[in-house]
Amino acid sequence: QVQLVESGGGLVQAGDSLRLSCAASGSTFSMYAMGWFRQSPGKKREFVAHITRFGNIKAYANSVRGRFTISRDNVKNTLYLQMNSLKPEDTAVYYCAARGLEVSTIPDEYDYWGQGTQVTVPS
């Protein structure tokens, strides 16, 4: 079992950058494929990015490709999401998630979730 804690969210202006972190504990981090998801009020939780256990394969939602970068440090047991050129439509609670199998874009297929961190980009 792994525990996940996100940090790094905040209120920023359009065009700014943020880096989210997700600290993992309680289990061997490299055993898990990891994903970032986000949820806005009234909307379903949606896929943002995922990364394989050793970071060799990454994938992104079309809406963030070219602006966001997912990465991980298996020594520090931490997952990251670098977000550049932020837009108002990026406003959401961002969650990291862990999966004991390979990566997926489907939230229900992830086993463990953090509590989320709010990102707000006013229009």
Side-chain angles (χ1 to χ4, degrees):
Q1 186 167 342
V2 63
Q3 291 79 46
L4 303 172
V5 179
E6 301 95 336
S7 61
L11 173 65
V12 296
Q13 299 305 308
D16 286 351
S17 298
L18 275 177
R19 187 176 81 157
L20 305 184
S21 298
C22 171
S25 62
S27 188
T28 303
F29 184 56
S30 60
M31 291 175 55
Y32 298 92
M34 299 295 297
W36 285 102
F37 294 81
R38 66 187 183 185
Q39 189 168 17
S40 303
K43 295 186 177 181
K44 292 183 178 180
R45 193 166 296 188
E46 65 173 1
F47 166 73
V48 174
H50 63 54
I51 187 168
T52 48
R53 289 179 293 168
F54 296 99
N56 53 313
I57 299 174
K58 306 173 186 181
Y60 300 90
N62 289 337
S63 58
V64 307
R65 188 176 293 112
R67 300 187 297 121
F68 290 12
T69 302
I70 189 172
S71 62
R72 66 189 297 163
D73 186 331
N74 286 349
V75 174
K76 294 182 178 179
N77 294 338
T78 304
L79 175 73
Y80 302 100
L81 185 68
Q82 178 66 43
M83 306 187 295
N84 298 331
S85 302
L86 282 161
K87 303 176 180 180
E89 51 263 45
D90 295 319
T91 296
V93 178
Y94 284 72
Y95 299 89
C96 64
R99 186 167 192 247
L101 299 174
E102 289 308 320
V103 290
S104 170
T105 62
I106 301 172
D108 287 348
E109 294 186 351
Y110 281 77
D111 303 306
Y112 304 102
W113 290 84
Q115 83 290 348
T117 185
Q118 176 72 47
V119 173
T120 303
V121 188
S123 56

